[in-house]
Amino acid sequence: MVEELPQSVLFCCDHNAVRSPMAEGIMKKFYGTDTYVQSAGVKSDMDIDGFSIAVCGEIGVELDRHRTRSFDEMEQWGDDLSSFDLVVALSPASQRRALELTRVFHLEVIYWPIMDPTGLGETREAKLGSYRQTRDQIIGHLTERWGPAREER
């Protein structure tokens, strides 16, 4: 059954360089601006991944300007976790960190087991194939929970 969109959602993964920015960008593209969407990582020690930019660009999602950030940086910059309705963890480490940070809030934290494509594939085409799989897993979870993409507004 399709659920109503939350007012705000935070996607999180390990570095905020691959899975969570992909999920953030795709959600914004699919469901518009009715939901406040952000992403963060357990760490922010990497730049946005070029393969993520490429495979999201294939479906019209622009990630070039994404700047990685960690949970700690989020807090420093004034984005309070308690202001989100839903936290979607895309890796086990981010799920643990999100649960730890939100234990005092009435906040739903869910886990979507999304494949980490980094390090998979020997050739450029094989790597792109792995990143497409990850992108498509994210799309599958989004549409299962909130229905098909809405028409462009």
Side-chain angles (χ1 to χ4, degrees):
M1 188 172 97
V2 173
E3 294 186 26
E4 191 175 314
L5 284 168
Q7 287 191 341
S8 57
V9 63
L10 175 70
F11 291 100
C12 55
C13 65
D14 295 345
H15 301 276
N16 193 223
V18 178
R19 292 170 284 183
S20 57
M22 289 171 79
E24 176 187 350
I26 294 167
M27 181 151 185
K28 287 176 179 175
K29 168 98 172 143
F30 278 25
Y31 305 111
T33 57
D34 291 344
T35 299
Y36 177 69
V37 184
Q38 290 293 307
S39 64
V42 176
K43 304 177 203 164
S44 65
D45 56 351
M46 302 170 74
D47 289 328
I48 182 77
D49 187 287
F51 289 109
S52 293
I53 293 170
V55 300
C56 282
E58 293 172 351
I59 62 167
V61 173
E62 187 271 315
L63 295 182
D64 297 70
R65 295 178 298 190
H66 178 79
R67 297 293 166 253
T68 62
R69 66 183 186 160
S70 66
F71 283 113
D72 294 338
E73 289 167 331
M74 243 182 88
E75 197 173 36
Q76 291 167 6
W77 299 340
D79 238 342
D80 187 0
L81 272 182
S82 66
S83 66
F84 289 94
D85 297 321
L86 175 65
V87 176
V88 180
L90 306 175
S91 70
S94 66
Q95 179 189 27
R96 282 190 301 278
R97 183 78 169 125
L99 288 169
E100 176 187 303
L101 291 169
T102 61
R103 69 183 178 280
V104 296
F105 305 126
H106 296 289
L107 177 61
E108 185 180 10
V109 176
I110 61 172
Y111 173 60
W112 292 349
I114 302 296
M115 176 182 82
D116 180 359
T118 58
L120 299 178
E122 296 295 316
T123 65
R124 175 175 170 72
E125 204 45 52
K127 287 180 184 299
L128 285 168
S130 295
Y131 279 76
R132 287 182 188 114
Q133 272 187 284
T134 295
R135 177 198 66 200
D136 295 345
Q137 281 183 340
I138 291 167
I139 290 170
H141 281 281
L142 288 170
T143 57
E144 183 180 320
R145 186 160 180 123
W146 295 300
R150 298 186 175 168
E151 296 299 315
E152 296 287 328
R153 295 172 189 203

